[in-house]
């Protein structure tokens, strides 16, 4: 039986060409096309297709649109191709269980996916914008970025993707703190923001806050709060692996023979409960902040795969936390890319020095080319002194930010160094300081809170902690 295909793309000419090539297909029947987002939603409801070819739509962020479609229609299969420039995001798409096809595409590729079992077991995005040379759009060259995934379709998992998480969602704020250069104070900013949010109220209710350390090999978020690092993310990963392997064995397969792509298929069908998150976190007594820490043993980070991170982030999105704040590594690995796309807001942290400024400028350029919504990004210059080589206006111009775009600055405060070494956050110090005021300003810009006096004053005075080195060695 033919599969019905809905094409979503604002390039009418490409749609017509593709329809002509698929007109005689024995595997696919095009049930319609849409050129606008609103039209796509109507067509999805009216035609109930088996597959959706999602192409480029101007003024729409592709990753966000994909997530919306996936949540509303988890039973559908979405297919997709990326231009050479967009292939930098291949790990992110593949982590979502998305087939990634390089442009230009050929009808045979779509037919190959249609020939697979009734459900692909994964969601896929395809960009169908017309290449410069239309005559070469459908060459016979195999352009799959991972051709073996079509030739060898994995056995379908025993659960459907619609079963993955059923817990009702509550409004939450998803914030990623990132800096493309190490040593700029990114973890310090993450810690202080997490502590600040955990001491605030929204609509009269205290905020539930989770901080996640996505610096998987060298993360120190727990250390900066004098917290233990067991349990941690790797504890959760081990439990995920146990469930995946048990699923494979129930289907008569040997987990040791699985490829990474096949595990991604199984992850799309794995059921995790957000209520189980409590088994993997540690808590900061003074503030009630929960922390999902990075592995204590660096070797454990090598065993954390992209599909583990995707499943963890998907589960966190359905948790009961009001604020989820992710501290990332200064790199562009799969973990960092996933954290950037997971976030509703990103705090880009740097120092007012040449190499840090240049790295941020390069990263902003990369994100712009990938059509990442720049409105999500807040730039923060840490350790700002009274006299710097570059002014904030000069830095703003170099980053090509709009003149109205604020650059948040955290002054070089003597209390900061003391705070880092003692494990007592600046936000818990009695009285006021310039760094404390600056972090509070940044926090309020990220998340509107109740206008009354904050809960910081109601916190008991933090007990003196042993020095950082005594904590590490003792």
């Amino acid at each position: 039986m033919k599969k019905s295909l809905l094409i979503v793309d604002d390039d009418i000419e490409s749609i017509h060409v593709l329809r002509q090539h698929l007109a005689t297909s024995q595997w696919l029947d095009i049930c319609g096309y849409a050129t606008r987002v609103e039209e796509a939603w109507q067509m999805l409801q009216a035609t109930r297709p088996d597959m959706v070819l999602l192409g480029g739509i101007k003024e729409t962020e592709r990753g966000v649109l994909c997530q919306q479609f996936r949540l509303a229609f988890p039973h559908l299969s979405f297919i997709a191709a990326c231009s050479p420039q967009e292939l930098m995001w291949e790990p992110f798409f593949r982590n979502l269980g998305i087939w990634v096809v390089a442009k230009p595409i050929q009808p045979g590729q779509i037919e190959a996916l249609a020939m697979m079992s009734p459900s692909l077991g994964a969601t896929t995005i395809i960009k169908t914008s017309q290449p410069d040379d239309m005559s070469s759009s459908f060459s016979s060259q195999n352009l799959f970025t991972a051709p073996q995934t079509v030739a060898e379709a994995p056995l379908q998992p025993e659960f459907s993707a619609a079963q993955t998480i059923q817990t009702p969602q509550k409004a939450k704020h998803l914030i990623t703190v990132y800096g493309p250069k190490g040593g700029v104070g990114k973890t310090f900013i993450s810690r202080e923001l997490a502590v600040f949010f955990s001491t605030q109220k929204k609509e009269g209710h205290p905020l539930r806050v989770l901080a996640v350390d996505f610096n998987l090999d060298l993360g120190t978020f727990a250390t900066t709060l004098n917290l233990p690092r067991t349990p941690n993310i790797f504890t959760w990963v081990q439990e995920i692996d146990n469930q995946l392997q048990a699923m494979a064995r129930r289907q008569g397969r040997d987990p040791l023979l699985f490829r990474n792509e096949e595990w991604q298929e199984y992850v799309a069908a794995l059921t995790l409960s957000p209520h189980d998150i409590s088994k993997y976190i540690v808590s900061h007594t003074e503030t009630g902040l929960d922390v999902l820490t990075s592995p204590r043993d660096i070797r454990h980070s090598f065993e954390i795969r992209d599909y583990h991170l995707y499943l963890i982030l998907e589960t966190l999105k359905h948790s009961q936390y009001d604020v989820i704040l992710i501290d990332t590594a200064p790199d562009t690995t799969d973990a960092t890319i996933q954290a950037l796309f997971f976030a509703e807001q990103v705090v880009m942290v740097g120092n007012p020095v040449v190499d840090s400024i240049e790295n941020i400028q390069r990263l902003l350029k990369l994100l712009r080319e990938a059509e990442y919504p720049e409105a999500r990004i807040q730039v923060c210059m840490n350790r700002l002194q009274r006299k710097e080589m570059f002014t904030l206006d000069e830095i703003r111009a170099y980053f090509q930010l709009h003149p109205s775009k604020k650059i948040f600055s955290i002054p070089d405060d003597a209390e900061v160094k003391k705070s880092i070494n003692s494990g007592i956050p600046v936000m818990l110090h009695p009285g006021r300081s310039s760094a404390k005021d600056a972090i509070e300003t940044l926090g309020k810009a990220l998340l509107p809170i109740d206008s009354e006096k904050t809960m910081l004053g109601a916190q008991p005075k933090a007990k003196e902690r042993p020095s950082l080195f005594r904590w590490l060695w003792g």
Side-chain angles (χ1 to χ4, degrees), residues 52-54 66 70 76-81 93 96-101 113 120 122-126:
V52 178
L53 184 63
L54 179 59
C66 170
R70 290 179 64 227
L76 297 183
S77 299
F78 294 83
I79 313 177
F93 292 134
L96 294 179
I98 294 171
W99 297 96
V100 179
V101 183
L113 292 173
L120 292 178
T123 305
T124 317
I125 301 181
I126 291 193

Side-chain angles (χ1 to χ4, degrees), residues 420-436:
I420 293 173
N421 289 328
S422 67
I424 301 176
V426 168
M427 299 308 295
L428 295 184
H429 285 188
R432 308 303 302 177
S433 71
S434 55
K436 187 174 181 179

Side-chain angles (χ1 to χ4, degrees), residues 172-178 189-190 193-194 197 209-212 322-328 339-340 342-348 372 376 378 442-443 445-447:
K172 57 177 55 65
H173 298 269
L174 314 173
I175 302 170
T176 291
V177 180
Y178 174 63
I189 299 296
S190 298
L193 284 174
F197 291 136
V209 183
L210 174 69
V212 183
D322 303 295
V323 179
I324 299 173
L325 186 144
I326 300 182
D327 182 34
T328 61
L340 289 173
F342 170 81
E344 293 174 349
Q345 296 189 83
V346 174
V347 180
M348 190 80 69
Y372 190 87
R376 294 184 189 178
Q378 301 293 346
L442 173 59
L446 294 169
L447 170 58

Side-chain angles (χ1 to χ4, degrees), residues 200-207 448-452:
Q200 305 304 308
K201 289 183 177 181
K202 183 72 181 294
E203 298 177 354
H205 300 285
L207 293 175
I449 56 176
D450 290 354
S451 57
E452 291 83 5

